[in-house]
Amino acid sequence: MDFKEIENKVIRFRDERNWAQFHQIKDLLLGLNIEVGELQELYLWKSTEQQTQIDPEKIKDELADIAIFLMYISRHHNIDLLEAISAKIDKNAAKYPVEKSLNSNKKYNEL
Amino acid sequence: MDFKEIENKVIRFRDERNWAQFHQIKDLLLGLNIEVGELQELYLWKSTEQQTQIDPEKIKDELADIAIFLMYISRHHNIDLLEAISAKIDKNAAKYPVEKSLNSNKKYNEL
Amino acid sequence: MDFKEIENKVIRFRDERNWAQFHQIKDLLLGLNIEVGELQELYLWKSTEQQTQIDPEKIKDELADIAIFLMYISRHHNIDLLEAISAKIDKNAAKYPVEKSLNSNKKYNEL
Amino acid sequence: MDFKEIENKVIRFRDERNWAQFHQIKDLLLGLNIEVGELQELYLWKSTEQQTQIDPEKIKDELADIAIFLMYISRHHNIDLLEAISAKIDKNAAKYPVEKSLNSNKKYNEL
């Protein structure tokens, strides 16, 4: 399946339940963060070795939940998310020229 | 462009700068949340009407930054993000049957 | 009880369990956000009226969890949190003069 | 200064600007998270050694901003934050008995 099909599947799931009425933007923004917290919780306090024992299904589910909220918010604003990512990478590439940012963890305004 | 191409573009951007060395999972999880905060800040305190004046380019950029971190984390675990989203929607559909969840904002364990 | 006593109670709770060994700063920062997510989840999707039915004990517990992480992080850096709050309000008062910011939801750089 | 005085200073700062009108609970919850993101950003990508070079004033300011939002939310619900923290530590102590949780980073339901 491609991105558009998955996005349509997400939106169809919502619309079959008539949930757009609850999807105020500030709730979507809270939901996004709640899901990020749930992903983070899988790793909290864990050493590198303990992390190898995290159930991969749980990681997948939490990453998916975050992506689903991203799709709801993109749709709310009629944003083409793939195009936005591609354009942002182009901007980042201009802000972080390879020769200056190679092997560096500095922010662009400190390079 | 399709999802795989965009994902490869994101990873190539990183690898050209040799940044994987900084991409410890806990940093990626912090970065994800930092970007969510930047998206939220665009809306903070704003009324519905004031929200219409937010620069759409900024929304696109912040959504893209979040998606880029999702891709870094997915790659870190060799997760196929699109497949994970599709599988999660199937799980959600089982947890939220249409006849019970139509027009309801309750959690599945309260339905 | 005063602030210092409560802070000491929090740190004593931790030290009796010998947990400082797990309290790396990046974990504390993740934990802080996880707790914020749990607080937010109490309100997600809820209308103003539905919010009145949230169990106040849960709100208290989540606010406390966030404050406990703040205390761990403050202690990590030997920061006097009360003094930091007081100093920050003084800075904010300078950034947001009453005559400019009265009834305004603008950021200081837009006033 | 004690906690109540600082809390009153925070609320007075807000009320002099008549900002309670903007302090809807969902905005306060977003603001809380935005400030957590700003604190996290100080540490992002940084090695333990690089962290020693973070400006302590910035850490103080960000911790204070988070605490200020906690105070706004507590006041919104007429919650005594110090009392809530003390009660939560008592609950945590019951969930994490010293003999089971000493030197352990497991969650209480895995002990």
Side-chain angles (χ1 to χ4, degrees):
Chain A
M1 279 201 282
D2 74 4
F3 185 78
K4 263 286 160 263
E5 284 178 78
I6 300 291
E7 202 178 55
N8 287 337
K9 183 174 177 174
V10 168
I11 300 301
R12 200 164 53 239
F13 166 81
R14 177 179 76 175
D15 290 345
E16 284 170 356
R17 286 154 187 80
N18 202 20
W19 281 355
Q21 63 185 308
F22 306 119
H23 283 199
Q24 311 299 319
I25 185 68
K26 289 182 186 179
D27 280 283
L28 293 175
L29 293 168
L30 290 175
L32 183 62
N33 190 58
I34 291 167
E35 299 301 343
V36 168
E38 293 183 4
L39 177 69
Q40 292 171 331
E41 196 172 3
L42 299 177
Y43 300 87
L44 187 67
W45 311 129
K46 294 195 179 146
S47 65
T48 310
E49 209 210 297
Q50 288 175 319
Q51 289 168 30
T52 62
Q53 293 153 34
I54 303 171
D55 179 354
E57 283 308 304
K58 288 188 182 168
I59 299 174
K60 276 184 211 173
D61 281 357
E62 297 304 344
L63 285 171
D65 279 336
I66 298 167
I68 290 166
F69 271 99
L70 274 191
M71 287 172 167
Y72 287 151
I73 298 172
S74 298
R75 180 61 63 105
H76 184 91
H77 290 297
N78 283 315
I79 286 172
D80 180 324
L81 188 56
L82 283 190
E83 199 178 279
I85 299 169
S86 181
K88 189 53 167 53
I89 286 291
D90 292 339
K91 287 189 197 182
N92 287 354
K95 273 160 76 177
Y96 292 96
V98 171
E99 63 279 11
K100 281 192 175 179
S101 56
L102 186 73
N103 289 314
S104 166
N105 62 0
K106 288 189 185 164
K107 281 204 77 167
Y108 66 95
N109 50 14
E110 298 164 346
L111 285 174
Chain B
M1 280 203 282
D2 74 5
F3 186 78
K4 263 287 159 261
E5 284 178 79
I6 300 290
E7 201 177 56
N8 287 338
K9 182 174 177 175
V10 168
I11 300 301
R12 199 164 54 239
F13 167 80
R14 177 180 76 176
D15 291 345
E16 284 169 355
R17 285 154 188 80
N18 204 20
W19 282 355
Q21 64 185 306
F22 305 119
H23 284 197
Q24 311 300 318
I25 185 68
K26 289 184 186 178
D27 279 283
L28 293 176
L29 293 168
L30 290 175
L32 183 61
N33 190 57
I34 292 166
E35 299 302 343
V36 169
E38 293 184 4
L39 177 68
Q40 292 171 330
E41 195 172 2
L42 299 177
Y43 300 86
L44 187 66
W45 311 129
K46 294 194 180 147
S47 64
T48 309
E49 207 210 298
Q50 288 175 321
Q51 288 169 29
T52 61
Q53 293 155 33
I54 303 172
D55 179 354
E57 283 308 302
K58 289 189 181 166
I59 298 175
K60 278 184 210 173
D61 281 356
E62 297 304 344
L63 285 171
D65 279 336
I66 298 168
I68 290 166
F69 271 99
L70 274 190
M71 286 173 167
Y72 286 152
I73 297 172
S74 298
R75 181 60 65 104
H76 184 91
H77 290 296
N78 283 315
I79 286 172
D80 180 325
L81 187 57
L82 283 190
E83 201 179 278
I85 299 169
S86 181
K88 189 54 167 56
I89 286 292
D90 292 340
K91 288 189 195 182
N92 286 355
K95 273 159 78 176
Y96 292 95
V98 171
E99 62 279 14
K100 282 192 175 181
S101 56
L102 186 72
N103 288 314
S104 165
N105 61 0
K106 289 191 184 162
K107 281 203 77 168
Y108 65 95
N109 51 14
E110 298 164 345
L111 284 175
Chain C
M1 280 203 281
D2 74 4
F3 186 79
K4 263 286 158 266
E5 284 179 79
I6 300 290
E7 201 177 56
N8 287 337
K9 183 174 177 174
V10 168
I11 300 301
R12 201 165 53 241
F13 166 81
R14 177 180 76 176
D15 290 346
E16 284 170 356
R17 287 155 186 80
N18 204 19
W19 282 354
Q21 63 186 308
F22 306 119
H23 284 198
Q24 311 300 319
I25 185 68
K26 289 183 186 179
D27 280 283
L28 294 176
L29 293 168
L30 290 175
L32 184 61
N33 190 57
I34 291 166
E35 299 301 343
V36 169
E38 293 184 4
L39 177 68
Q40 292 171 331
E41 195 173 2
L42 299 177
Y43 300 87
L44 187 66
W45 311 129
K46 294 194 180 148
S47 65
T48 310
E49 208 210 298
Q50 288 175 319
Q51 288 169 30
T52 62
Q53 293 154 33
I54 303 172
D55 179 354
E57 283 308 303
K58 289 189 182 167
I59 298 174
K60 278 184 211 173
D61 281 357
E62 297 304 343
L63 285 171
D65 280 336
I66 298 167
I68 290 166
F69 271 99
L70 274 191
M71 286 172 168
Y72 287 152
I73 297 171
S74 298
R75 181 60 63 105
H76 184 91
H77 290 296
N78 284 314
I79 286 172
D80 180 325
L81 188 56
L82 283 190
E83 201 178 278
I85 299 169
S86 181
K88 189 54 165 56
I89 286 291
D90 292 340
K91 286 189 197 182
N92 287 354
K95 274 160 76 178
Y96 293 94
V98 171
E99 62 278 14
K100 282 192 177 180
S101 55
L102 186 73
N103 289 314
S104 166
N105 62 0
K106 288 190 185 165
K107 282 203 77 167
Y108 66 94
N109 51 14
E110 298 165 345
L111 285 174
Chain D
M1 280 203 281
D2 74 5
F3 186 78
K4 263 289 158 260
E5 285 179 79
I6 300 291
E7 201 178 55
N8 287 337
K9 183 174 176 174
V10 168
I11 300 301
R12 201 165 52 240
F13 167 80
R14 177 181 76 176
D15 291 345
E16 285 169 355
R17 286 155 187 80
N18 203 19
W19 282 355
Q21 63 185 307
F22 306 118
H23 283 199
Q24 311 299 320
I25 186 67
K26 289 184 186 179
D27 280 284
L28 293 176
L29 294 168
L30 290 175
L32 184 60
N33 190 58
I34 291 166
E35 299 301 343
V36 168
E38 292 184 4
L39 177 68
Q40 293 171 330
E41 196 173 2
L42 299 177
Y43 300 86
L44 187 66
W45 310 129
K46 293 194 180 147
S47 66
T48 309
E49 209 210 298
Q50 288 175 318
Q51 289 168 30
T52 62
Q53 292 154 35
I54 302 172
D55 179 355
E57 284 307 304
K58 288 189 182 167
I59 298 175
K60 277 184 211 174
D61 281 356
E62 298 303 344
L63 285 170
D65 279 335
I66 298 168
I68 290 166
F69 271 99
L70 274 191
M71 287 173 167
Y72 287 151
I73 297 172
S74 299
R75 181 59 64 104
H76 184 91
H77 290 295
N78 283 315
I79 286 172
D80 180 324
L81 187 57
L82 283 190
E83 202 179 277
I85 298 169
S86 181
K88 189 55 167 57
I89 286 292
D90 292 339
K91 287 189 197 182
N92 287 355
K95 273 159 76 176
Y96 293 94
V98 171
E99 63 279 12
K100 283 193 175 179
S101 56
L102 186 71
N103 289 314
S104 166
N105 61 2
K106 287 190 185 162
K107 280 203 79 166
Y108 67 95
N109 51 13
E110 299 164 344
L111 284 175

